């Protein structure tokens, strides 16, 4: 069994951290609850309880239409909690008073004490024919994201140049960035899929954009149950 020693749990070094590329490990303590994607729990140690579709989620995310109900559950207790999402890469971020806008399908977990809300991204529906939901998370605490493959983080800088991203490859971005939709026919052979038209989101200003190496729009429609 010595061959399995390298996969054993590692010592806890932070409230929320990676165990390998595709797993988040959360050090649970009483009074420090966490919201996580429904069905994402793969293992836990100690005493951890779960509450699907808690009142706080129903109140804040009432407009989050998924077709399968609210995609979040609340975990509380003491111990270690392990989360994953079908083998997707996991990115753990410590917000130090910052804000982050995350696509709902890429949100794995976040500290329950953080301020958050569900918003529809404006300016995209008229281009792509569908809405795009994002979750804005703000405060001091931890957030875990998923990415279909190792993501790239693009620094938009503060110049006038815009950064263009396929909506189906978008994971998260700084909410202070200016966002607008753009339709392009000339780039359709390189970007976007479906009708032959390419739809992009243009970001400008000071901040970052997180992009995953996947353009599968079905990821946006699937909610893990």
């Amino acid at each position: 069994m010595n061959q399995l020693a390298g996969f054993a749990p590692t010592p806890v070094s932070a409230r929320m951290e990676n165990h390998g590329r595709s797993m988040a490990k959360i050090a649970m303590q009483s009074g420090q609850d966490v919201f996580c994607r429904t069905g994402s729990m793969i293992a836990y140690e100690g005493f951890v309880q779960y509450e699907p579709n808690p009142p706080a989620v129903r109140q804040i995310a009432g407009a989050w239409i998924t077709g399968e109900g609210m995609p979040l559950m609340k975990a509380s207790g003491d111990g270690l909690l392990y989360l994953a999402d079908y083998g997707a890469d996991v990115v753990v971020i410590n917000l130090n008073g910052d804000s982050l806008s995350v696509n709902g399908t890429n949100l794995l977990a976040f500290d329950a004490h953080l301020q958050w809300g569900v918003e529809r991204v404006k300016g995209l529906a008229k281009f792509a024919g569908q809405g795009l939901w994002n979750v804005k998370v703000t405060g001091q605490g931890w957030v875990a994201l998923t990415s279909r493959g190792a993501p790239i983080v693009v620094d938009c800088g503060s110049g006038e140049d815009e950064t263009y991203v396929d909506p189906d490859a978008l994971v998260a971005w700084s909410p202070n960035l200016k966002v607008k939709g753009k339709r392009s026919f000339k780039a359709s052979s390189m970007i976007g899929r479906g009708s032959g038209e390419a739809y992009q989101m243009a970001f400008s200003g000071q901040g970052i954009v997180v992009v995953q190496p996947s353009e599968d729009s079905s990821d946006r429609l699937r909610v893990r149950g």
Side-chain angles (χ1 to χ4, degrees):
M1 302 295 286
N2 290 336
Q3 296 92 332
L4 299 176
F7 299 97
T10 55
V12 176
S13 61
R15 153 72 167 174
M16 192 179 296
E17 57 188 323
N18 278 86
H19 180 80
R21 291 178 50 181
S22 304
M23 200 178 304
K25 180 174 69 174
I26 304 175
M28 300 293 297
Q29 294 182 4
S30 296
Q32 297 184 15
D33 300 341
V34 63
F35 288 124
C36 51
R37 176 170 292 278
T38 300
S40 62
M41 187 279 292
I42 58 172
Y44 67 92
E45 302 176 26
F47 180 76
V48 181
Q49 293 181 306
Y50 307 94
E51 182 183 358
N53 195 18
V57 172
R58 293 197 300 268
Q59 180 179 359
I60 296 177
W64 194 347
I65 306 301
T66 65
E68 297 186 28
M70 297 302 170
L72 295 177
M73 62 182 181
K74 183 174 74 173
S76 58
D78 291 277
L80 290 177
L81 174 62
Y82 295 89
L83 305 176
D85 184 26
Y86 293 98
D89 284 38
V90 173
V91 181
V92 176
I93 301 171
N94 186 10
L95 293 180
N96 188 21
D98 302 317
S99 297
L100 191 68
S101 290
V102 186
N103 278 339
T105 52
N106 294 99
L107 185 62
L108 181 63
F110 59 96
D111 280 327
H113 66 263
L114 290 170
Q115 299 177 14
W116 68 285
V118 178
E119 303 172 339
R120 182 185 290 275
V121 179
K122 299 179 180 179
L124 181 65
K126 65 179 180 179
F127 292 96
Q130 61 182 2
L132 180 66
W133 294 97
N134 73 305
V135 181
K136 183 179 178 181
V137 187
T138 305
Q140 299 272 352
W142 294 85
V143 180
L145 314 178
T146 61
S147 173
R148 304 298 162 185
I152 183 172
V153 179
V154 180
D155 188 348
C156 294
S158 57
E160 297 181 357
D161 292 338
E162 295 178 322
T163 298
Y164 299 94
V165 179
D166 185 322
D168 291 329
L170 183 62
V171 174
W173 66 93
S174 302
N176 56 297
L177 290 173
K178 296 180 180 179
V179 185
K180 66 180 182 180
K182 178 183 178 181
R183 174 184 291 147
S184 172
F185 290 93
K186 293 182 180 180
S188 61
S189 61
M190 298 185 297
I191 307 173
R193 303 183 183 185
S195 64
E197 294 179 287
Y199 305 100
Q200 301 114 49
M201 294 177 66
F203 295 88
S204 60
Q206 185 72 43
I208 63 170
V209 180
V210 183
V211 184
Q212 64 185 358
S214 171
E215 297 174 299
D216 185 0
S217 60
S218 64
D219 287 342
R220 304 230 168 271
L221 301 179
R222 176 179 56 76
V223 177
R224 180 163 184 161

